[in-house]
Amino acid sequence: MDLLLSGFDILARWDVVLALLTGSVGGVLIGAIPGVGPAVAIAILLPATFSMDPIVGLTVLLGIYGSSMYGGAIPAILINTPGTAVNALTTYDGFPMTSRGEARRAISLAYSASFFGGIFSVICLILFSPVLAKVAPMFGSREIFLAALLGIILVVTAHRRQTLIAAALACFGIFINTIGLEPVKYSKRYTFDQSFLSGGVDLIVVVLGLFALSQAFFLLQGEDEKTRINKLKGGLFQGLRELTRHPRVAGVSAGFGVLMGMIPGVGEFTAQFMSYTYAQKTSKRPDDFGHGSSEGLIAAETANNAVPAAAMVPLLALGIPGEALTAMMLSVFYVHNVVPGPQLFQNHMDFVVALYLALLILNVMVLVFLLFATNHLIKVVKIPNRFLGVAILTLSFVGVYSLRNSATDCVIAALFGVLGFVLKRLSLPIVPIILGMVLGGIMEVKLRAGMARVKAFPDFFLDGRGDNTSLRPIAVILFLMIIAVLALHFRRVWLDHKELKEAKWSTKHSSTHIGAHLSRRRNSILTERGKKRRAERSMFSPRSTDRS
């Protein structure tokens, strides 16, 4: 109870309340504009949050992160264009409902499902706090190193059929993090005697380049799309009543969102597809899915909005981000010397509770705002793409320059912007680079700290010497999880290879069979035609007479 009161005291400040309002409303607006998304907005705002108090800066970023998916459902349902990438599945059932004149019902249902998923996730996060507070002190340098290693492996293996390129990009991110002065003896690495590289490559510069500038280039090279949207008629409270008719789908989908959010590198897409598949398999009307099913819309929106609060679990408990957005938030912690991890729960539990309460209040504020402002909000869908591109480009360069008043940072950001643009055009992942930079730094520092007591490989999982030796259970569990993830991944690769081989074999043999059949048919036709022609010739040609 004392922690709740202290958490409310932290939030009961005018600047925190303003940050809550700005983050919630701004996130909805950003989510409703196709082509922008929360990653671009957070990347642009990140430099500005460094001058704020930690709770204020994080509240703004959390508001954008958590509320953008609410807004992203609006264009997904009305014009079949997802506002954010994770709203792509919303188009499956949302737009067909609009096509048959049920746009108001679809929008209302999406808001209600998103609200339920967000609140469910925050409640789970609050309930897990006592467990996290007890488990967190058991994490030392070796455990955090293994957790970071597990995180980067999960990020790589999550990109199915793109594992090698994801691994290469993650290694590239780790390499970028090594440029500059190393953290122990401060010797120079990969600086090539260039003074501007001595300070290393700033994470925010890379983030702004890969996400914001690349998206600006992408919008500028495209054409403006003309969209026409009719005003929604009627109230938007219908979805709250309809959601109560599908408690099983909503509950299971929210559970998938929480579980997938807690696992680094997995995120909204996996949670959505697992929830959607479950809903379709257990539905009494599975044929409606993809044609305007309310259960499908609930599954998609509940799952993706349950992820943001759950994604804060590894960030707060271990200091390990699971995706690019939480990696950006981690930099806000570091700037203010608030280090996420085991010590945070021991020394700053009131700060953690304040973050939980902020997430809870954000979801309520977003729902109230959307229920009364949707008809006005849908106008942001009509903003031209090229105008957005110019605005993002300008704000990005202003943000980069404001970090260190360095034109060199602007050049580096532009180079990473070109790289991000190329990766987007080739449909290759960008997130592994960011997580490689963040997790690579954590792995290096924790490994060097842990190796001081490690003489052989078994010492990584043991404390003490001789009779006083004790097992480190968390380290053993994390190591076994790494082995299990790698084993499952290689098994999946082998099954995919086997399936591809069988498909090629069946295609080859079926084509051979068809070719042989056609060849026989052709010969038969030619033979019959030849017989007919010879018969005609013998009929009209003069008979030969024997000459003796």
Side-chain angles (χ1 to χ4, degrees):
M1 191 64 183
D2 293 336
L3 286 173
L4 283 174
L5 291 175
S6 61
F8 275 115
D9 286 340
I10 293 174
L11 295 179
R13 290 165 36 188
W14 70 269
D15 52 354
V16 178
V17 173
L18 183 61
L20 282 167
L21 185 62
T22 304
S24 58
V25 175
V28 171
L29 290 170
I30 288 161
I33 303 173
V36 181
V40 176
I42 289 175
I44 292 172
L45 289 174
L46 206 53
T49 60
F50 292 160
S51 59
M52 304 175 184
D53 284 347
I55 186 66
V56 178
L58 285 170
T59 300
V60 172
L61 300 183
L62 278 173
I64 293 170
Y65 181 26
S67 61
S68 61
M69 297 171 198
Y70 282 87
I74 294 173
I77 291 170
L78 297 181
I79 60 173
N80 203 25
T81 303
T84 69
V86 297
N87 292 109
L89 201 60
T90 307
T91 61
Y92 285 20
D93 294 289
F95 186 69
M97 292 173 77
T98 300
S99 301
R100 64 180 186 231
E102 298 178 355
R104 178 177 59 82
R105 177 191 171 209
I107 288 283
S108 176
L109 199 57
Y111 291 166
S112 305
S114 298
F115 177 74
F116 175 78
I119 295 296
F120 183 91
S121 182
V122 175
I123 292 172
C124 288
L125 187 59
I126 293 171
L127 294 176
F128 289 151
S129 291
V131 179
L132 292 173
K134 292 178 182 178
V135 174
M138 301 174 67
F139 278 81
S141 298
R142 284 168 270 185
E143 285 80 7
I144 293 178
F145 165 76
L146 288 171
L149 180 60
L150 175 62
I152 209 162
I153 289 172
L154 285 169
V155 168
V156 170
T157 55
H159 292 86
R160 190 174 182 181
R161 302 189 190 280
Q162 290 184 320
T163 309
L164 290 178
I165 190 64
L169 292 171
C171 290
F172 178 61
I174 294 172
F175 167 73
I176 294 170
N177 186 70
T178 62
I179 296 172
L181 300 176
E182 55 94 6
V184 178
K185 296 183 179 180
Y186 297 103
S187 57
K188 293 181 179 179
R189 300 185 297 194
Y190 307 111
T191 59
F192 305 103
D193 292 329
Q194 301 295 319
S195 57
F196 69 90
L197 288 175
S198 298
V201 180
D202 194 275
L203 173 66
I204 310 307
V205 173
V206 178
V207 165
L208 279 163
L210 287 175
F211 287 95
L213 290 177
S214 66
Q215 187 63 29
F217 296 153
F218 196 81
L219 292 171
L220 286 171
Q221 62 88 37
E223 295 182 358
D224 294 333
E225 297 179 3
K226 295 181 180 180
T227 56
R228 183 181 177 183
I229 299 174
N230 296 322
K231 187 176 180 180
L232 299 178
K233 297 180 181 179
L236 291 170
F237 292 92
Q238 178 186 353
L240 291 169
R241 295 191 297 270
E242 189 170 356
L243 184 68
T244 58
R245 301 194 205 114
H246 304 285
R248 176 183 52 80
V249 173
V252 173
S253 300
F256 276 129
V258 170
L259 185 61
M260 296 299 108
M262 292 173 62
I263 302 174
V266 179
E268 294 92 347
F269 290 106
T270 306
Q272 275 186 314
F273 281 102
M274 289 178 72
S275 304
Y276 195 85
T277 303
Y278 167 81
Q280 187 175 22
K281 296 289 185 185
T282 58
S283 174
K284 295 179 180 178
R285 303 174 65 181
D287 294 336
D288 289 350
F289 281 69
H291 303 283
S293 169
S294 58
E295 291 177 279
L297 188 59
I298 290 170
E301 284 296 304
T302 305
N304 65 23
N305 278 271
V307 170
M312 298 297 290
V313 172
L315 178 69
L316 296 174
L318 304 175
I320 294 172
E323 56 181 356
L325 298 177
T326 47
M328 297 180 205
M329 292 180 199
L330 183 62
S331 64
V332 180
F333 280 100
Y334 285 156
V335 164
H336 295 285
N337 294 320
V338 179
V339 181
Q343 299 300 319
L344 185 66
F345 282 86
Q346 292 178 319
N347 304 329
H348 303 284
M349 194 61 193
D350 56 344
F351 180 81
V352 176
V353 171
L355 283 178
Y356 295 166
L357 293 173
L359 281 167
L360 201 63
I361 295 168
L362 278 168
N363 279 281
V364 177
M365 292 176 69
V366 170
L367 183 66
V368 173
F369 171 71
L370 285 171
L371 289 175
F372 293 100
T374 297
N375 276 323
H376 301 287
L377 185 63
I378 58 178
K379 295 177 183 177
V380 302
V381 176
K382 299 181 180 180
I383 297 176
N385 290 345
R386 294 180 183 179
F387 176 81
L388 287 174
V390 172
I392 292 170
L393 198 68
T394 305
L395 293 172
S396 299
F397 277 121
V398 169
V400 171
Y401 188 78
S402 67
L403 286 172
R404 297 186 289 194
N405 295 331
S406 171
T408 305
D409 284 347
C410 294
V411 174
I412 294 173
L415 293 175
F416 277 102
V418 173
L419 174 63
F421 176 73
V422 172
L423 291 175
K424 284 182 178 180
R425 290 301 298 268
L426 296 175
S427 300
L428 297 177
I430 295 175
V431 174
I433 299 177
I434 302 299
L435 293 182
M437 287 186 69
V438 176
L439 296 178
I442 294 172
M443 287 165 61
E444 180 183 6
V445 172
K446 298 302 179 183
L447 179 63
R448 295 178 79 162
M451 289 301 287
R453 299 182 181 180
V454 175
K455 304 298 180 184
F457 181 72
D459 294 339
F460 216 89
F461 312 103
L462 300 171
D463 264 337
R465 293 285 177 183
D467 297 335
N468 296 324
T469 302
S470 61
L471 191 68
R472 300 175 71 99
I474 302 295
V476 173
I477 291 171
L478 289 169
F479 181 73
L480 292 176
M481 288 176 68
I482 290 171
I483 298 299
V485 168
L486 290 174
L488 288 172
H489 173 68
F490 285 118
R491 178 178 178 273
R492 188 176 67 185
V493 170
W494 167 250
L495 290 175
D496 287 346
H497 174 72
K498 188 177 178 182
E499 183 180 343
L500 183 63
K501 194 174 179 181
E502 289 176 354
K504 284 183 178 179
W505 185 89
S506 61
T507 302
K508 179 181 176 182
H509 282 261
S510 63
S511 62
T512 304
H513 175 73
I514 292 170
H517 174 73
L518 290 176
S519 178
R520 288 195 297 271
R521 178 66 178 161
R522 175 175 172 274
N523 292 336
S524 175
I525 291 171
L526 290 175
T527 303
E528 292 296 327
R529 187 179 295 172
K531 288 181 179 178
K532 188 176 180 181
R533 287 283 178 87
R534 285 195 295 272
E536 289 175 352
R537 285 173 187 165
S538 62
M539 185 181 300
F540 292 105
S541 60
R543 293 175 180 264
S544 59
T545 54
D546 293 334
R547 291 180 182 177
S548 53

